[in-house]
Amino acid sequence: MNARGRWRGRSSVARNSAKQNLHLNHEELLERKLGFDLYTEGDKKLGWLLTFSPSSWEDQETNKMYSCVDLYFVSQDGSTFKVKHKFPPYFYAATKHKMEFEIEAYLKRRYEGEIADIVIVEKEDLDLKNHLSGLRRSYLKLSFDTVQQLMRVKNDLMHVAERNKSKLEASEAFETIFIGESKERSQDLLDCIIDLREYDVPYHVRYAIDNDVRCGQWYDISVSSDGILLEKRADLLQRAEVHVCAFDIETTKLPLKFPDAEHDLIMMISYMIDGQGFLIINREVTTTFYIYCS
């Protein structure tokens, strides 16, 4: 990539970050109006986890964006708050036998500024014929600051891994390759990436699995220099008293068709809040229907 291309890339990232920050600011203001103030400092809090969703967080000192998970809590007194828990997204890459260190160094050079960290981990591979014996294989764990970075690198490597995997299936499995240092070429190393794993796990689901976080449970939440700390309170079994809202929307539609917002009208909306029900009727539609039936 030439200098002009790199400048355009940085400009695009800057514009996207600015739009994202603007969106986050509006989102924060809206949630504060709804009672979910952001908890960033103070004494330890006890909260019942209502729900969580993927979000972003900006480091005020470096103006760098990070992916995080927004956790929404309700306290024992009925008050609500939320926290942002920073969590690096990641996926795994499989390489040809004994090529992990070379591929690690190559990927760090190729995706400098995109990949935050790479570590070699031992994982079970269910594709191995003798995996029930406890045999494990090495994977590269590629971690990122944002989900967007993960998607860009994943999309770039996916077709490479699929191509290399098809070639490997046509030859001997896990063939050992020796590449002389003087003959090393980027394309040779790229051909050694044979598979990508767990790239399709949704970010917030990955967070919940790795941190054992579940909705409908009590947690002690505290803030430290390392970020947000969550401690599950297994001794508290009574769920929090939360407000429950349910609704149903009835619309017109053509025979044997699904409703279409372009031309179908809302007939009525029924909703219930904390056991008390309400009904909103579109008199224009119901009156016309009554006259037609009469």
Side-chain angles (χ1 to χ4, degrees):
M1 182 182 294
N2 56 26
R4 180 175 297 178
R6 289 193 296 269
W7 182 84
R8 288 178 178 174
R10 288 194 295 267
S11 299
S12 176
V13 171
R15 287 194 299 270
N16 292 336
S17 298
K19 293 180 181 178
Q20 194 172 25
N21 291 339
L22 182 62
H23 173 70
L24 288 175
N25 290 335
H26 286 301
E27 184 179 282
E28 296 291 340
L29 292 175
L30 176 60
E31 291 182 344
R32 287 178 181 177
K33 292 180 180 179
L34 296 175
F36 288 95
D37 289 329
L38 184 61
Y39 169 56
T40 57
E41 59 182 1
D43 298 332
K44 180 187 296 186
K45 286 191 174 186
L46 175 63
W48 192 78
L49 183 58
L50 286 168
T51 185
F52 54 88
S53 63
S55 184
S56 299
W57 169 76
E58 181 183 9
D59 190 334
Q60 298 298 327
E61 296 181 357
T62 62
N63 294 327
K64 190 174 182 179
M65 297 299 298
Y66 296 92
S67 289
C68 68
V69 176
D70 284 351
L71 302 145
Y72 300 84
F73 293 93
V74 57
S75 302
Q76 288 179 316
D77 60 0
S79 61
T80 55
F81 64 95
K82 80 167 189 175
V83 298
K84 287 183 174 291
H85 200 175
K86 182 180 172 183
F87 177 74
Y90 65 87
F91 66 86
Y92 297 99
T95 68
K96 290 185 178 180
H97 188 52
K98 294 183 179 181
M99 291 298 300
E100 295 84 7
F101 291 101
E102 289 82 355
I103 301 302
E104 175 188 0
Y106 169 69
L107 291 178
K108 286 182 177 179
R109 296 192 305 267
R110 179 182 176 92
Y111 299 105
E112 183 178 2
E114 296 278 349
I115 298 178
D117 189 25
I118 301 179
V119 294
I120 301 176
V121 297
E122 297 289 331
K123 302 283 289 184
E124 292 184 1
D125 187 355
L126 301 183
D127 290 338
L128 296 178
K129 295 181 180 180
N130 55 348
H131 69 272
L132 294 177
S133 63
L135 183 66
R136 301 161 71 91
R137 64 158 300 166
S138 297
Y139 285 89
L140 297 179
K141 181 180 178 181
L142 281 64
S143 301
F144 305 84
D145 291 328
T146 67
V147 176
Q148 292 74 20
Q149 292 174 341
L150 180 147
M151 295 301 297
R152 286 194 292 269
V153 175
K154 185 268 294 185
N155 292 335
D156 194 27
L157 293 179
M158 177 59 66
H159 70 283
V160 174
E162 292 177 348
R163 180 195 64 200
N164 295 338
K165 187 175 182 179
S166 62
K167 290 181 179 179
L168 187 63
E169 290 175 351
S171 61
E172 295 182 2
F174 301 103
E175 178 184 9
T176 303
I177 298 179
F178 296 93
I179 302 177
E181 184 175 355
S182 59
K183 298 181 180 179
E184 181 180 304
R185 297 193 308 271
S186 297
Q187 187 61 38
D188 293 333
L189 292 176
L190 201 61
D191 288 342
C192 295
I193 301 174
I194 58 175
D195 198 8
L196 303 182
R197 297 289 179 91
E198 300 189 16
Y199 57 85
D200 55 348
V201 180
Y203 172 65
H204 62 291
V205 176
R206 178 82 277 170
Y207 164 82
I209 294 173
D210 288 7
N211 294 276
D212 192 24
V213 172
R214 301 292 184 270
C215 293
Q217 294 184 337
W218 291 96
Y219 291 90
D220 281 329
I221 306 100
S222 58
V223 180
S224 69
S225 57
D226 297 329
I228 299 296
L229 299 178
L230 298 178
E231 182 180 356
K232 186 182 297 184
R233 292 290 302 273
D235 57 314
L236 299 179
L237 302 179
Q238 182 66 33
R239 72 177 187 179
E241 296 183 2
V242 297
H243 297 287
V244 179
C245 177
F247 64 91
D248 186 28
I249 301 176
E250 301 293 342
T251 68
T252 62
K253 72 178 188 68
L254 296 176
L256 302 178
K257 298 290 185 179
F258 287 104
D260 190 338
E262 293 295 330
H263 50 76
D264 289 318
L265 301 176
I266 295 177
M267 298 173 57
M268 60 185 68
I269 301 175
S270 59
Y271 65 98
M272 182 173 289
I273 299 179
D274 294 338
Q276 186 175 4
F278 303 88
L279 180 63
I280 303 174
I281 297 177
N282 185 347
R283 292 185 177 181
E284 180 181 353
V285 176
T286 54
T287 302
T288 304
F289 179 74
Y290 176 77
I291 296 175
Y292 175 79
C293 291
S294 299

